[in-house]
Amino acid sequence: MKAQSHKRLKAVLLTLTMSLVLAACGGTESSSSEASNPSGDGTIKLKVYAQHFDDDTSKPFDYAVEKLKEEMPNVEIELDAAVQDGYQKLKTYAATGNMPDIYFTDWSTLQTMAKSKNVELLDDYEATTEFKQNLNPGVESRLVAPDNHVYAYPDTGIEFQIIYYNKAIFEQVGIQTPIKTIDQMAEAAQKLKAAGFVPMSIFAKEKWITTAFYNGLVTREQPQGFGAIGQEGLKQLPEAFVTAAEQMKKLQQAGLFDANATNTNYDQASSLFYQGKAAMFVNGQWEIYSSQEKLGDQVDWMYWPAKDEATYEQSKYFINGAGAPQGYAVYPGSKNKDTAVEVAAFLAAKSAEYRYTQLGSPIVSPKVDLPIASDVPAMMQRVATELLPNAENYAQLLSNTAITNAINDGTQYIMVDSYTPEEFVESLNRVLDKEN
């Protein structure tokens, strides 16, 4: 009897325990639902960390969000505007467990997020299958990473960096264009500085832009760009990379960059250019729209200079831009992950739609079956009719983060008087010897 009573008691306790567990689970599920839908009306709220700092970034995003309201009216977007800090704020979110549901970022940061399990693998989602089917030819590397995974949905195609210049300032100072050689660029820098201008404005507080400038010089003699130094067995920087470091230092010593460049952010650097205080500005081709709007016919872009005019003519159509994956990624811990994936793909597609139809940009990843609805800026017409049809090579992607980080650090250091090209080369060689 005692044994049977004991068994019955255990059964009752087990039943009671399971009831409590199920009740607790039900409470957790209700709490989670309320957290993601605080209004209780079925609205799904998603926080999106996205670029939203000028017309070129805010208008495509706003357009996509408006289209999303029509397509998915139950989804509400909370924008967390990205900071121009090389995605450091986003990395801080990851470190503190405060990630948004969807975030826009580049390949370098996506690699970091993959290691820390802060990015969803999108390979097997239906949205990814549809996105692949709708890609423009030649931009697969924007979607599919070198490890054959999909981490983010891109809106733009293969972007690249160019040098912008104020034609009125060049004419005032008496500088002939196009500038074809490093020596000509150094001479122009000295003339501009003597006339009271900042020769070239650059937001070198962000390491990626000094790296992009360096890569522009590298591609004059090595069209693969950084992709040429990720190969196994390469222990020392090839000559093209050594030459580019020496050239960048020569331009720095000639006064091309402002002395405070490494403490200058995008807003400060662009303001110098748009206010007529700087004669040149370096950024991606996406800056065409802002510069055309603010400077009108006074602004144009030039090709990267080379060691001599023959090399310049031979390499002018080597494009300083690689098809690295980037775009809208999804946080695996999102309470509405499946919806977030659909929304990420939608935002990318509609942002591309705006860029093509309203800005006239041909540099988009998804196909757009709508007509161009706006006048194309003259500088973008040059890109579309002069540069892209004649493009001979695009720089290739470097996926090794250790080498990339060393280049990022080194190119920023070159902007400082005390740092030498020899130190840059020695530092890179140490990393190459270890990594390759």
Side-chain angles (χ1 to χ4, degrees), residues 4 11 13 139 148 235 239 250 268 286 289 308 314 352-353 356 375 399 410 424 428:
Q4 290 177 348
L13 290 172
V139 299
N148 291 318
K235 301 296 184 181
E239 189 61 32
K250 179 175 182 176
Q268 295 164 329
W286 55 83
Y289 303 101
D308 52 45
Q314 179 184 341
E353 184 174 289
Y356 183 81
D375 294 333
S399 290
F424 177 88
L428 262 295

Side-chain angles (χ1 to χ4, degrees), residues 32 35-37 44-48 75-76 97-103 117-120 122 125 329-344:
S32 174
S36 57
N37 304 310
I44 297 175
K45 295 187 176 182
L46 298 174
K47 180 179 282 189
V48 180
V75 175
E76 182 179 317
N98 190 33
M99 288 293 288
D101 299 282
I102 299 169
Y103 58 90
K117 309 295 184 186
N118 281 302
V119 64
E120 177 74 0
L122 303 172
Y125 283 93
V330 174
Y331 174 51
S334 170
K335 293 186 172 90
N336 296 285
K337 185 169 66 176
D338 289 344
T339 302
V341 171
E342 290 182 41
V343 171

Side-chain angles (χ1 to χ4, degrees), residues 171-210:
E171 184 176 346
Q172 176 185 334
V173 178
I175 300 172
Q176 290 188 337
T177 58
I179 292 176
K180 296 183 177 182
T181 70
I182 298 296
D183 287 341
Q184 290 171 2
M185 181 67 80
E187 290 169 10
Q190 292 169 345
K191 286 183 179 180
L192 288 164
K193 194 170 182 179
F197 295 100
V198 173
M200 179 179 288
S201 183
I202 185 171
F203 45 103
K205 190 171 184 178
E206 295 186 46
K207 297 177 183 179
W208 79 264
I209 194 65
T210 56

